[in-house]
Amino acid sequence: MPKLCVNVDHVATIRQARGTNEPDPVAAALIAERAGAIGITIHLREDRRHIQDRDLRLIRQVVRGKLNLEMAPVEEMRGIALDTRPDQVTLVPERREEITTEGGLDASGQMDRLAAIIVPIQEAKILVSLFIDPEQHQIEAAHRLGADYIELNTAAYSEARNPEAAGREISALKKAAEQAHALGLGVHAGHGLTFLNVEPITSLPHIEELNIGHSIVSQAVFTGFEAAVGEMARLVEGRS
Ligand code: PXP
């Protein structure tokens, strides 16, 4: 069975919507670890729309498990990774107009560009994972690039509109996980996984870690809402 890594970007998204200092993704990272996450994932985007450089610095200091830094394969991010030394870097494609990461990295189409990012990061003893779609040529490219892991993009599975389509995506993910494992790559998966759709993914072979964020934060809004309103009502009305 895989282990859970929690993506706390979405906590930072709420903070940035107000430009204030709460909720703090650093606190979320600590709570996630205490609750059983084996790792924390953050995406430092080039436009800094959610996670800030300060978050990365502080989360690097406080996280005890694995810190997985998602980033675009660009020079600026390579420098930041080498300075802050996360345990793992996951390379993801990035487009400024997108709401969230759309599609996996085209590893086979940009081997030289990726090698220039991957080699120095691995030389610094930081693990490298490539976020890719479950496609044979992308897995082969990840292997040729010497990546330690791939993260299989589960977006197509999570967007499937009926059981047949979901079944097809599960088959593709299974085949991809088996191919990657046979090539010696570690396998992670994530994107769009929810409380309703995660279970079939946990039964796939060779998947060591799942990265999940949005659905956990969405659920937390409701599981925490009653207690938060109650606490504020007591304060407002001067009750203890
Ligand atoms: N993996 C990658 C590469 C991502 O970009 C994201 C989204 O930030 C996730 C996993 C987590 O996806 P979600 O927030 O939909 O659970």
Side-chain angles (χ1 to χ4, degrees):
M1 290 291 263
K3 304 276 191 216
L4 174 66
C5 293
V6 174
N7 181 319
V8 297
D9 296 352
H10 311 282
V11 175
T13 297
I14 300 172
R15 177 191 60 192
Q16 298 308 111
R18 265 296 173 97
T20 175
N21 60 3
E22 69 173 3
D24 194 328
V26 182
L30 289 169
I31 293 169
E33 282 204 308
R34 210 178 60 211
I38 62 123
I40 299 300
T41 293
I42 51 178
H43 185 173
L44 185 68
R45 293 187 72 104
E46 291 179 87
D47 63 10
R48 306 298 197 273
R49 70 169 70 155
H50 41 53
I51 292 292
Q52 305 296 306
D53 297 68
R54 160 270 185 207
D55 302 328
L56 168 60
R57 262 196 325 277
L58 291 177
I59 288 175
R60 171 62 297 179
Q61 283 174 27
V62 301
V63 157
R64 289 171 182 265
K66 181 181 205 175
L67 174 58
N68 173 32
L69 174 63
E70 290 178 3
M71 58 179 225
V74 296
E75 251 176 62
E76 181 203 8
M77 291 298 154
R78 178 181 61 197
I80 290 173
L82 293 174
D83 279 350
T84 51
R85 309 193 52 83
D87 302 289
Q88 177 182 294
V89 158
T90 299
L91 297 178
V92 300
E94 214 174 275
R95 285 195 312 118
R96 291 203 175 216
E97 324 79 78
E98 69 193 1
I99 293 173
T100 181
T101 311
E102 289 170 354
L105 196 64
D106 179 16
S108 64
Q110 44 177 345
M111 298 286 283
D112 291 346
R113 178 173 173 219
L114 292 178
I117 304 291
I118 292 171
V119 170
I121 289 178
Q122 285 181 326
E123 279 172 0
K125 304 268 179 287
I126 299 169
L127 296 166
V128 171
S129 179
L130 304 185
F131 180 64
I132 56 175
D133 292 328
E135 292 171 356
Q136 195 177 338
H137 68 287
Q138 298 296 359
I139 295 164
E140 278 161 8
H143 173 60
R144 271 185 278 130
L145 282 163
D148 300 285
Y149 294 96
I150 55 163
E151 178 179 345
L152 290 172
N153 181 7
T154 51
Y157 162 72
S158 61
E159 286 158 15
R161 285 283 159 259
N162 55 60
E164 293 72 34
R168 278 195 299 277
E169 296 304 333
I170 286 285
S171 299
L173 289 163
K174 179 166 183 277
K175 198 167 149 207
E178 282 166 347
Q179 183 197 352
H181 180 73
L183 289 171
L185 289 159
V187 188
H188 302 155
H191 210 284
L193 297 178
T194 70
F195 290 84
L196 294 178
N197 70 17
V198 74
E199 224 174 315
I201 299 291
T202 64
S203 317
L204 291 174
H206 311 304
I207 298 197
E208 295 171 39
E209 293 169 17
L210 296 181
N211 286 300
I212 305 181
H214 182 77
S215 194
I216 292 173
V217 173
S218 303
Q219 166 100 338
V221 168
F222 293 115
T223 53
F225 206 70
E226 190 174 343
V229 172
E231 191 179 333
M232 186 59 87
R234 280 193 297 281
L235 273 178
V236 168
E237 295 168 15
R239 291 184 274 126
S240 56

